[in-house]
Every structure is written in structure tokens, then in C-alpha cells.
Amino acid sequence: MKDDVIYILADNQDITRIGLMALLNVSKEDKVHEVKSKKGLVALLQRYTAAVVILDYTLFDIESMDELFILKDRFGGVEWLLFSDELSPDFIHRVLNHGFGVLMKDSPKEEIQTALLYLSQRKRYICQQAGSLLFKESTHSPVIEEYALTPSEKAVLKEISLGKTTKEIAIERNLSFHTINSHRKNIFRKIGVNNVHEATKYAMRAGIIDIAEYCI
């Protein structure tokens, strides 16, 4: 893993923190910080505003999803991975829409290592199990036609479904924020959706993005 990344392990299970420390294999001890309370987590986030947080939401003293979302919005430069034993489909939907990465503790070692590699590169990771929940839900809805999306709109929809912001898409495609924002509005209007989660389900049903891409 990269030594220039600051990791915060927010988990009340000693065995989990020990295992993550071993897998991270960071050479400098001051690059990994362990914390067991919300107060301690906030203190570290105030100090390390571009850290990577690996958090077990179910064991931590964060009282609600809204409180979790406030933390993420407050510390916008932080990359988050929720690493838990069990998360409900509704919870997964909401946190994915808010830009969190998700990994289950019963994931195979290879997938955990892949997730940590993505984190070291400051990329969001969505595990196969979480992605499958969304894919399973999307297949319960009837397949719909593609409402005449243009090739550019399909490309933008794919990037939106992968969790990229309008600003990030504009930079990567060398276009203005206004142009991408206009694409986004037109896409949502054409396919009849109001948010990213619904747009992502449409993209999966229409074959614009597949499950393998979404989990990455």
C-alpha cells in the first residue's frame, strides 16, 4: 500500500483492526490510526482531512445514517469504506448513493485485498455482494427501452452510475461543468428518474453498465 495515505481504522473489534493492519502492510506506523469512538474519529478527521476511513458502522457509536452522511459531507476530502458483517439492502442503497464504498467482513481475502488496493489509490470500492443486491433488485423490474439516449448521454450515464460527480466527469471528458450537468438533466428526464440510484438501476437493465464494472 502507498505510504503517503493516512488510514483510520474505526472498528471496535480488535481482531478486525489487527487483520486490517496486517493486510495494509504500511511501513510507517504513523500512517495507520486506530479509533473506537465517534469523538475520537472526528478528532482524527479534523487532523487528517484527506484520510481513508475504514468504518464498521454497525459496531460504532454513530447513531443514524443521517449522522454518517453529515460526517461525510463535513469532511469532503476523506475516502470512506464501510466494512461490516451485515448491512440491509436499503442501507446499502442509501450509502452507495452518498458516495461510500462498501465491503462485507465475510468477503474472501482476495476481495478485501483488492478493496484495500483501491483505497490506497483513493478509489471507491463496492464489493460483489453489495453490487449483487442492487443487480438482483434491478432484475425484478421489467426491461425498458432506451428512450433514444445519445452515445454521449450513455457514456455520461455510465460514469454517473460508477459514482463519479458532475465535476469529475467534466474534467475527465474535457468538457464544461455546464455541459455535463445539461447531459445529466436530459438523461434523467428521458429515462424518467429523479436520482442516481434509479439512474443506476436503469443503466444496469439497459446494459449500459454491467455488474462487474459496478462492483469495481
Side-chain angles (χ1 to χ4, degrees):
M1 303 297 168
K2 291 184 178 180
D3 281 352
D4 59 343
V5 177
I6 300 293
Y7 297 92
I8 299 175
L9 307 184
D11 194 307
N12 287 321
Q13 288 184 327
D14 291 338
I15 188 64
T16 299
R17 295 197 312 275
I18 292 169
L20 287 172
M21 289 280 286
L23 290 174
L24 283 169
N25 192 28
V26 177
S27 61
K28 298 180 181 178
E29 292 183 1
D30 61 342
K31 296 298 182 181
V32 182
H33 300 268
E34 300 177 61
V35 64
K36 297 183 179 181
S37 70
K38 179 177 60 181
K39 182 178 179 180
L41 174 60
V42 171
L44 285 174
L45 292 175
Q46 289 173 332
R47 182 178 179 185
Y48 303 109
T49 57
V52 167
V53 175
I54 304 175
L55 167 70
D56 188 333
Y57 171 81
T58 60
L59 294 180
F60 226 63
D61 60 338
I62 295 176
E63 297 179 359
S64 67
M65 277 191 284
D66 288 338
E67 189 174 39
L68 181 64
F69 295 164
I70 289 170
L71 278 176
K72 189 176 189 305
D73 292 340
R74 179 181 174 187
F75 300 101
V78 172
E79 190 71 34
W80 296 79
L81 178 70
L82 302 183
F83 187 43
S84 298
D85 283 316
E86 185 175 354
L87 299 172
S88 71
D90 178 66
F91 179 88
I92 291 173
H93 293 159
R94 291 185 63 183
V95 296
L96 290 182
N97 288 339
H98 215 83
F100 288 87
V102 174
L103 179 66
M104 302 300 187
K105 286 188 175 179
D106 61 357
S107 297
K109 177 183 176 182
E110 293 75 15
E111 185 170 31
I112 295 174
Q113 290 175 317
T114 299
L116 296 179
L117 176 61
Y118 271 72
L119 283 177
S120 73
Q121 300 169 352
R122 302 195 60 80
K123 295 180 181 179
R124 184 170 74 145
Y125 186 84
I126 301 168
C127 70
Q128 180 70 30
Q129 189 174 343
S132 294
L133 286 173
L134 297 183
F135 182 73
K136 182 178 180 180
E137 179 187 274
S138 71
T139 58
H140 289 169
S141 302
V143 176
I144 55 180
E145 58 180 330
E146 288 195 32
Y147 296 104
L149 292 181
T150 67
S152 293
E153 288 171 341
K154 291 179 183 178
V156 170
L157 175 55
K158 181 175 182 177
E159 298 301 306
I160 291 172
S161 300
L162 290 171
K164 295 180 181 178
T165 65
T166 301
K167 182 178 180 180
E168 289 171 336
I169 298 170
I171 292 172
E172 291 182 6
R173 299 180 68 81
N174 197 28
L175 295 170
S176 70
F177 178 92
H178 175 74
T179 298
I180 299 301
N181 197 42
S182 295
H183 277 317
R184 181 189 179 101
K185 290 179 180 178
N186 287 335
I187 291 166
F188 281 28
R189 174 180 54 80
K190 284 184 176 182
I191 65 178
V193 303
N194 297 306
N195 56 56
V196 173
H197 173 57
E198 292 174 349
T200 299
K201 290 197 295 182
Y202 169 86
M204 295 173 74
R205 293 197 301 271
I208 293 172
I209 183 173
D210 62 35
I211 187 68
E213 290 177 302
Y214 189 69
C215 289
I216 292 174

